Amino acid sequence: MKNNFGHTLPYSDIHTHIGQFYDTKYDYHDIFKALKNNGVTETTFAYLTPLFTESKPAIEFYKAMTEETKEAVDFAKEIGLKVNPLYWIDPMVLFGGITLESILNDLDYKGLVVHPFLNDWNPADKKRADLLTKVFEFAKENNLRVYDEYIDDG
């Protein structure tokens, strides 16, 4: 993207989240209606990771999250809001046997989200480092953007 002076601008990541965040449920109906009612015609969103609920094993959470994400995409179509779903990669889901290919087959994700600290993508851990390499290779092969969400609590 270029600005008015012809300079290339860095990509800006602006997206919202749906799902459970500790005791708060971010309901896609409310979020999407609010966006639509305020003139937004397109948005990108990701479902929150199971880190914030810890109520289900990662694989069960993945299945429930996929169903709710599909419902969110359908609801957005109903109200005329274009949405671009992102998949927030939880290494425990991938270690549990769900493949990146099956994730992409389950839903037409437009990108992948990686939280280096929240999901402990520790590069010193060979298993996690190898998995992260596979994530980036998969993203490149499938023309998916990878969103790196860095949170500094310090």
Side-chain angles (χ1 to χ4, degrees):
M1 174 165 58
K2 295 194 183 264
N3 67 10
N4 293 338
F5 304 105
H7 297 105
T8 300
L9 299 174
Y11 180 79
S12 178
D13 170 16
I14 301 170
H15 70 269
T16 189
H17 292 113
I18 64 170
Q20 192 76 28
F21 185 75
Y22 297 108
D23 294 332
T24 304
K25 173 74 173 186
Y26 291 93
D27 184 85
Y28 62 84
H29 297 96
D30 298 335
I31 293 168
F32 291 173
K33 282 192 279 188
L35 291 169
K36 180 71 176 172
N37 291 340
N38 283 283
V40 174
T41 58
E42 180 173 356
T43 191
T44 301
F45 75 96
Y47 200 96
L48 290 159
T49 181
L51 279 174
F52 304 118
T53 58
E54 300 179 16
S55 61
K56 297 179 184 174
I59 300 301
E60 286 180 38
F61 180 89
Y62 170 77
K63 291 175 183 174
M65 177 269 314
T66 301
E67 283 308 308
E68 188 167 345
T69 303
K70 287 177 182 178
E71 291 169 10
V73 170
D74 290 343
F75 177 73
K77 285 179 189 170
E78 287 176 24
I79 65 169
L81 178 67
K82 182 176 184 210
V83 292
N84 304 296
L86 306 174
Y87 178 67
W88 182 340
I89 297 177
D90 182 336
M92 299 314 294
V93 169
L94 298 177
F95 289 145
I98 301 288
T99 66
L100 289 165
E101 292 80 9
S102 67
I103 289 168
L104 209 54
N105 286 334
D106 286 342
L107 208 134
D108 185 22
Y109 288 103
K110 303 302 181 189
L112 306 171
V113 178
V114 174
H115 259 286
F117 296 104
L118 289 177
N119 289 116
D120 190 24
W121 287 101
N122 183 349
D125 179 330
K126 181 165 174 29
K127 186 176 177 183
R128 287 178 186 261
D130 289 348
L131 183 60
L132 190 56
T133 298
K134 286 180 186 175
V135 166
F136 280 96
E137 289 171 351
F138 178 81
K140 184 177 181 181
E141 290 167 8
N142 290 278
N143 200 28
L144 297 170
R145 184 179 301 273
V146 177
Y147 297 75
D148 174 8
E149 293 209 16
Y150 173 78
I151 295 177
D152 182 2
D153 291 335

